Amino acid sequence: MALYHFTVNQVTRSHGQSIVNSAAYRAGEKLWDEYYGECRDYSRKQGVVYKEIMLPDHAPARYKNRETLWTEVEYAEKNRNAQLAHSFEFALQRELTLDENIELARKFVQENFISRGMIADICVHDPPAKSGDDPPNPHVHVLCPIRPLNENGQWGIKQKKVPVLDKDGNQIMTKAGKPKMRAVPTTDWSTKETLEEYRKNWAELVNAAFEDKGFPCRIDHRSYEEQGIDLIPTIHEGPAVCKMEAKGIRTEKRALNNFIRMVNKLLVKFREMVQWSQDVHHKLEAEMERMKNPTILEYLQDYYDRRNEAAQAYGYGTRKAELYNLKEFAEVINLIDTLEIQTPDDLEDLIKETQSQMKPLKQELKNKSARITELQNLIRRYEDYSQFKPIHDEYSKKIFGKKDFEYQHHNELVRFQIAKREIDKNRTKEGKIPINRWRKQLQETMEQKEYTEYDLQEWRDALSELYKVRRCIETALQPTTPSEDSRQRPEEKNLQGQEKASIHQKLENYKNPQQQTKTHKKNRGMEI
């Protein structure tokens, strides 16, 4: 069963703790504690399956060394009761593999600690069971220095003092006449809200992993009271009870707590079964509701059954038509499986979505076509401008025979003026004609248009396939009133043809009585 366990404590000197000793114990290593001048040796510790120090981008690379990191953290704190580091511990899930659990823990640390600028020393423990009845207990220890690290790689300050103000915003003074100050943390790493966010994020990350794997189990970071679960609380045992139990002396408190835990497990199991039955009930209701309405597969089956029935009405080609229908039916089924659509409503939603995807592409294609036309017109105007400018210059210089010249070159002069007006509107700030830029833009726009047309064609092909499925459904929805001719069997057609031939023969005999065959009668074997 999935288990939620997430706690955070502090490694402090006031409790006689050493951060180097704590790091060595969690990592199962032998480290030299320079601050206290002692060797911390936990190299014989079993169950440490993974360890890593994760650093933010601005942290010095030397902090990858565990002894170096925590020695500097120890020396950075001057107070004899200093708080050295946050110690996080959270349970891994037995439903996931060890590699999946480690990757999940690393992702959580990266998103919640490293992203805030914290340094994290991760150690994954999977201790061996003390007896065959003990369940596995994989869990993670994470040590994070409380003192922040500045962008320059130097240790910063944990808190700063700010003046205390009254409700009117005036500074409050002490009895000694000095400003009253209070300490404010420089980070939000230790606030109640942030710690609650850590707990929530771990639960959401684990539940997402469960969902991806298709597991029904979930964990919840909230307390039983917050979840509305009425479980029996255990009683505090204390160190004396723990020591007695460790020596094999059974106590009433431990026995009572064991019984309470057993009852709580049964209550949790019962609620899980109730929740599971409710989920199954909802799923069955949804499935029954879905089965009331025909699926696309059923509509398509009806459509191709009709086509095969119509193919059997012909005297030849029936087998070929049935094979073609079978191939087309398989292609359409593969299409709806790929698109993951089951009902006609799903099909209509997908058609609308495809049309909405095509809309911006159509507008983009329209804009590019308009821009290509504009650039082509500018280039043509430039060609007219260049071609007829000498004629215009000659016309401008003429003094005698100007009217005759204008009459002879009227079309050229008009085209020049039109081109000049268009060119002047599009000159650069320096008054130059950017013909090379126009040509380059034209080439680029035409290439972009080709890419857009290609993308749009892919969407059109997809939409065409969807329309094809829609037409099949519409045909299947039509009432089955086929004409009698289309339903006739080949033998019925042959019989009808014979009847028609007999009628034609009677008509011919009626028109030409001379050609009628003689009637012969037989009487005792003699012709009369």
Side-chain angles (χ1 to χ4, degrees), residues 191-230:
T191 64
K192 182 179 179 181
E193 294 76 16
T194 303
L195 297 178
E196 186 65 21
E197 182 182 348
Y198 294 155
R199 292 172 53 83
K200 178 182 177 183
N201 291 346
W202 174 244
E204 291 178 349
L205 197 63
V206 171
N207 289 334
F210 284 158
E211 186 175 357
D212 291 341
K213 300 283 286 185
F215 296 154
C217 51
R218 297 292 185 270
I219 62 175
D220 200 316
H221 69 285
R222 297 172 297 172
S223 64
Y224 287 145
E225 183 178 357
E226 292 172 334
Q227 297 179 54
I229 299 176
D230 187 17

Side-chain angles (χ1 to χ4, degrees), residues 313 479-488:
T480 55
T481 55
S483 63
E484 292 183 1
D485 291 340
S486 63
R487 288 291 183 175
Q488 286 178 344

Side-chain angles (χ1 to χ4, degrees), residues 7 58 68 109 119 181 310 351 378 399 444 459 504 519:
T7 60
H58 62 279
T68 301
V109 170
I119 298 174
M181 309 294 285
I351 288 175
L378 284 173
I399 299 176
E444 292 176 351
W459 283 105
H504 283 298
T519 303

Side-chain angles (χ1 to χ4, degrees), residues 417-526:
Q417 291 297 334
I418 294 173
K420 185 176 182 302
R421 282 197 300 270
E422 195 68 26
I423 292 294
D424 289 345
K425 292 179 185 178
N426 294 276
R427 290 180 183 271
T428 62
K429 294 180 180 180
E430 295 79 14
K432 296 181 180 180
I433 304 174
I435 181 62
N436 292 331
R437 187 174 67 189
W438 292 344
R439 287 171 177 159
K440 183 178 179 182
Q441 289 179 356
L442 177 62
Q443 183 66 26
E444 292 176 351
T445 308
M446 291 178 71
E447 291 176 358
Q448 293 171 2
K449 181 185 176 184
E450 289 181 3
Y451 290 130
T452 305
E453 288 176 339
Y454 178 79
D455 294 340
L456 186 60
Q457 187 59 44
E458 286 188 338
W459 283 105
R460 284 173 176 160
D461 293 342
L463 189 62
S464 177
E465 294 294 329
L466 297 177
Y467 283 154
K468 181 179 178 180
V469 178
R470 178 200 269 175
R471 286 193 298 270
C472 294
I473 295 175
E474 291 173 348
T475 304
L477 288 172
Q478 293 176 1
T480 55
T481 55
S483 63
E484 292 183 1
D485 291 340
S486 63
R487 288 291 183 175
Q488 286 178 344
R489 300 293 181 182
E491 56 270 18
E492 295 175 352
K493 288 190 174 183
N494 292 337
L495 180 60
Q496 190 180 51
Q498 293 174 5
E499 292 176 353
K500 288 182 179 179
S502 176
I503 293 172
H504 283 298
Q505 183 64 38
K506 290 179 180 179
L507 289 173
E508 290 295 329
N509 293 339
Y510 178 76
K511 292 178 182 179
N512 302 306
Q514 295 82 2
Q515 297 180 1
Q516 292 181 8
T517 58
K518 294 181 180 181
T519 303
H520 297 278
K521 292 185 179 180
K522 292 185 179 181
N523 185 18
R524 295 181 181 178
M526 298 181 64

